[in-house]
């Protein structure tokens, strides 16, 4: 690959890297699998970059590769029994706030319980910031199909996360002998006797 094309690829990759990282983390089961998926996606994208007809479609091209590689991994994993010496993967985070990290981990676990197409649509739209039309191109299918997957996926996430309402701030209700606290994101509700 000539130098100009290599530099162009690296610039476009830099613009999409954070979104791709979030997407692969949401799709993969753990941090190491996400890193592997991201690396393999970048390699495949680099190898086929010269064949890409529209350089403006790079982000869609990148996420399509990641999606297909992830689906291929799922298919391969059905053929083998995975071995994991530990169930919890430690990984470095950009955010030092432990509560935020816990919330993110809970969200990823809930996302992993969704059907693949729904998880992929939610991740592309909510985490990576793709438009519904771009998601339809990546996943294949219609815009209305993507909207359905987003709606149903969100509803399933609400059930999985047991979110009853979405308060915008901490609510403290004191009823006789009980104090109820709801977190900002609505994920936790605790009742404590006073």
């Amino acid at each position: 690959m000539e130098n100009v094309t290599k530099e162009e690829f690296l610039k476009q990759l830099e613009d999409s890297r954070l979104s791709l990282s979030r997407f692969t983390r949401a799709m993969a089961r753990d941090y190491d699998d996400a890193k592997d998926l991201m690396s393999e996606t970048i390699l495949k994208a680099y190898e086929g970059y010269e064949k890409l007809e529209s350089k403006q479609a790079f982000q869609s091209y990148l996420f399509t590769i990641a999606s297909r590689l992830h689906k291929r991994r799922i298919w391969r994993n059905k053929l083998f029994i995975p071995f994991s010496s530990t169930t919890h993967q430690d990984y470095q985070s950009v955010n030092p706030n432990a509560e935020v990290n816990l919330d993110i981990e809970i969200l990823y676990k809930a996302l992993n319980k969704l059907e693949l197409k729904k998880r992929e649509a939610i991740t592309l739209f909510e985490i990576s910031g793709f438009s519904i039309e771009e998601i339809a191109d990546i996943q294949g299918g219609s815009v209305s199909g993507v909207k359905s997957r987003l709606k149903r996926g969100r509803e399933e996430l609400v059930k999985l996360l047991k979110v009853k309402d979405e308060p915008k701030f901490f609510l403290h209700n004191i009823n006789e002998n009980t104090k109820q606290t709801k977190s900002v994101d609505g994920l936790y509700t605790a009742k404590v006797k006073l």
Side-chain angles (χ1 to χ4, degrees):
M1 186 178 282
E2 60 187 61
N3 240 3
V4 175
T5 309
K6 181 180 178 181
E7 290 173 9
E8 185 180 323
F9 173 82
L10 291 174
K11 183 187 180 323
Q12 287 193 327
L13 177 63
E14 188 60 36
D15 294 342
S16 303
R17 201 180 67 176
L18 183 59
S19 295
L20 180 64
S21 175
R22 289 177 179 155
F23 177 74
T24 56
R25 177 62 182 110
M27 298 305 292
R29 298 279 180 207
D30 62 31
Y31 182 70
D32 290 332
D33 286 344
K35 281 178 29 180
D36 290 345
L37 178 59
M38 185 165 170
S39 298
E40 194 173 348
T41 299
I42 292 170
L43 177 64
K44 294 284 185 191
Y46 181 72
E47 290 172 348
Y49 186 71
E50 289 179 338
K51 298 174 191 169
L52 183 62
E53 293 175 14
S54 172
K55 304 301 182 197
Q56 289 80 20
F58 179 75
Q59 199 170 21
S60 177
Y61 168 70
L62 199 60
F63 281 78
T64 301
I65 291 171
S67 175
R68 289 181 179 161
L69 288 173
H70 180 67
K71 289 173 187 170
R72 184 178 303 143
R73 283 177 174 218
I74 290 172
W75 177 78
R76 283 185 188 156
N77 286 342
K78 290 180 182 177
L79 301 176
F80 301 99
I81 299 171
F83 174 76
S84 176
S85 60
T86 61
T87 57
H88 180 69
Q89 296 293 325
D90 292 327
Y91 59 93
Q92 292 179 342
S93 174
V94 183
N95 189 344
N97 187 340
E99 289 179 11
V100 172
N101 287 340
L102 179 62
D103 289 345
I104 291 170
E105 192 63 33
I106 289 169
L107 176 63
Y108 283 144
K109 286 179 182 179
L111 278 169
N112 280 329
K113 292 178 182 177
L114 295 178
E115 177 186 312
L116 178 63
K117 284 262 191 180
K118 290 177 190 173
R119 178 174 69 228
E120 191 175 78
I122 287 176
T123 303
L124 286 170
F125 186 76
E126 299 293 346
I127 297 175
S128 299
F130 279 88
S131 71
I132 292 174
E133 293 79 16
E134 291 172 322
I135 297 170
D137 288 342
I138 291 170
Q139 287 188 322
S142 66
V143 171
S144 64
V146 172
K147 288 179 182 179
S148 286
R149 286 190 288 278
L150 285 171
K151 181 181 183 300
R152 291 180 185 141
R154 286 180 187 132
E155 289 170 352
E156 287 180 36
L157 273 178
V158 166
K159 288 178 186 172
L160 288 169
L161 296 172
K162 296 175 178 84
V163 177
K164 293 182 182 173
D165 56 358
E166 297 179 21
K168 302 295 184 220
F169 52 87
F170 285 95
L171 298 175
H172 297 282
N173 299 328
I174 300 174
N175 302 331
E176 296 180 25
N177 294 333
T178 307
K179 180 177 180 181
Q180 188 173 13
T181 306
K182 294 181 183 175
S183 68
V184 173
D185 54 11
L187 290 178
Y188 304 103
T189 302
K191 290 186 178 181
V192 180
K193 297 274 184 178
L194 293 177

